[in-house]
């Protein structure tokens, strides 16, 4: 390492890290997370001794359009800190190089992060918490708070990994096929948990009796037949119905309204 190479001190690194967890608070519809990205970089610029025009240019560098998943954004921000650290000692690293790398990373990370955390991890945690809360178990609150723990850990490790790996982290992710493995693992976990949630959280039964006559106790309970063929057949059927409607591009809000109407109609008819 060159003797004159500037380094971001540890206090500034932790200052940047703690800003990550609220950087979406100044989200706007012109440049989305750009203000948050710039806010995270403030302690970094101060540590590198940026002042005057150099500081203003640093702010402008990160005030361009930026949007990705908040947790995965931590890794990008770690890489940005490493690049700013290098640029402070080497003017050959251009603003375009920094922004091009940011743009190249934020798209793929947004897709993976949104589907894994927003679409899988958070709904699973909240579904478990809701089920516990409905049954009067205080652990429902504790389980729900796990989202906060995930938010901190989900930014801490990627941020410092990105900082230590620098620009080389992109090549590491590409050659190790890390994103592909991450997506595959997320799909397996999501499908497994979804199957368990269908069986445990969706409760549907029918009181319909087939072949009933005037004789007391006659007839065959439809629910008993379904249970003998496939337990939880009705919840599974409902899942496939919702999946079919969503695949047909029906709005989730419209699907929920349809289920509400269907529930009332079937209850009035005495079928469920």
């Amino acid at each position: 390492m060159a003797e004159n190479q500037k380094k971001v001190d540890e206090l500034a690194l932790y200052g940047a890290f703690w800003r990550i967890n609220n950087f979406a608070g100044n989200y706007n519809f012109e440049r989305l997370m750009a203000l948050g990205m710039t806010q995270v970089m403030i302690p970094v610029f101060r540590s590198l001794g940026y002042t005057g025009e150099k500081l203003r240019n640093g702010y402008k560098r990160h005030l361009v359009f930026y949007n990705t998943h908040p947790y995965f954004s931590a890794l990008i921000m770690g890489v940005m800190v490493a690049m700013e650290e290098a640029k402070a000692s080497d003017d050959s690293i251009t603003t375009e190089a920094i922004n091009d790398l940011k743009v190249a990373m934020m798209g793929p990370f947004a897709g993976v992060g949104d589907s894994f955390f927003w679409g899988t991890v958070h709904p699973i945690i909240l579904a478990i918490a809701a089920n516990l809360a409905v049954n009067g178990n205080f652990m429902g609150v504790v389980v729900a708070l796990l989202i906060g723990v995930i938010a901190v850990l989900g930014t801490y490790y990627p941020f410092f990994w990105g900082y230590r790996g620098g620009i080389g982290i992109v090549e590491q992710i590409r050659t190790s096929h890390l994103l592909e493995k991450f997506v595959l693992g997320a799909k397996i976990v999501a499908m497994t948990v979804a199957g368990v949630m269908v069986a445990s959280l969706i409760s549907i039964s029918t009181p319909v009796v087939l072949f009933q006559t005037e004789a007391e106790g006659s007839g065959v309970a439809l629910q008993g037949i379904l249970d003998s063929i496939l337990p939880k057949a009705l919840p599974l059927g409902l899942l496939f119905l919702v999946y079919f409607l969503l695949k047909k591009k029906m709005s989730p809000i419209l699907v929920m309204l349809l289920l509400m109407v269907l529930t009332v109609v079937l209850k009035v008819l005495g079928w469920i």
Side-chain angles (χ1 to χ4, degrees):
M1 184 184 300
E3 291 183 1
N4 62 343
Q5 183 174 350
K6 296 181 180 180
K7 292 285 291 182
V8 178
D9 63 58
E10 190 171 353
L11 184 62
L13 285 176
Y14 279 96
F17 160 69
W18 283 113
R19 289 169 183 243
I20 293 173
N21 287 289
N22 61 9
F23 87 103
N26 48 17
Y27 190 96
N28 68 84
F29 289 99
E30 180 185 2
R31 301 180 187 180
L32 302 183
M33 297 177 176
L35 287 173
M37 167 63 83
T38 307
Q39 180 191 21
V40 170
M41 300 303 295
I42 290 175
V44 175
F45 291 148
R46 288 175 179 169
S47 176
L48 293 173
Y50 282 16
T51 57
E53 188 66 23
K54 197 169 186 178
L55 180 60
R56 285 191 290 272
N57 289 337
Y59 289 155
K60 291 178 183 178
R61 251 194 314 278
H62 295 285
L63 280 172
V64 296
F65 178 88
Y66 177 72
N67 188 44
T68 190
H69 188 274
Y71 300 170
F72 278 91
S73 179
L75 190 148
I76 299 175
M77 290 174 174
V79 175
M80 291 298 101
V81 172
M83 292 198 72
E84 288 291 349
E85 188 178 74
K87 182 174 176 58
S89 306
D90 183 1
D91 288 335
S92 65
I93 298 176
T94 63
T95 296
E96 290 73 19
I98 293 175
N99 284 328
D100 287 348
L101 180 60
K102 188 192 306 180
V103 171
M105 297 174 72
M106 71 183 187
F109 286 170
V112 175
D114 287 351
S115 61
F116 182 72
F117 288 103
W118 295 168
T120 304
V121 176
H122 284 194
I124 289 172
I125 291 176
L126 292 176
I128 295 172
N131 190 44
L132 290 170
V134 166
N135 292 313
N137 193 329
F138 181 74
M139 285 301 295
V141 177
V142 177
V143 172
L145 291 176
L146 285 176
I147 289 181
V149 176
I150 291 173
V152 174
L153 296 180
T155 52
Y156 179 86
Y157 291 105
F159 175 73
F160 285 98
W161 181 37
Y163 170 67
R164 295 187 182 102
I167 193 172
I169 205 75
V170 180
E171 184 64 17
Q172 290 179 33
I173 293 173
R174 188 188 68 80
T175 56
S176 65
H177 303 288
L178 184 61
L179 287 182
E180 292 85 345
K181 294 175 183 177
F182 192 84
V183 171
L184 178 60
K187 288 180 179 178
I188 294 172
V189 171
M191 294 303 294
T192 302
V193 175
V196 174
M197 291 172 62
V198 169
S200 60
L201 299 181
I202 302 178
S203 179
I204 307 174
S205 61
T206 176
V208 174
V209 177
L210 304 176
F211 312 115
Q212 187 173 17
T213 64
E214 294 182 0
E216 186 177 349
S218 64
V220 179
L222 177 59
Q223 186 64 50
I225 296 175
L226 293 175
D227 288 343
S228 64
I229 297 172
L230 178 64
K232 299 290 184 179
L234 289 179
L236 183 63
L238 177 62
L239 172 68
F240 284 137
L241 172 63
V242 172
Y243 178 75
F244 172 78
L245 294 176
L246 293 176
K247 289 291 286 185
K248 291 296 182 180
K249 307 299 182 182
M250 182 178 286
S251 165
I253 301 297
L254 187 57
V255 171
M256 287 189 286
L257 292 174
L258 179 62
L259 291 178
M260 293 171 62
V261 173
L262 188 62
T263 300
V264 173
V265 171
L266 292 178
K267 185 65 177 179
V268 170
L269 293 174
W271 291 0
I272 61 172

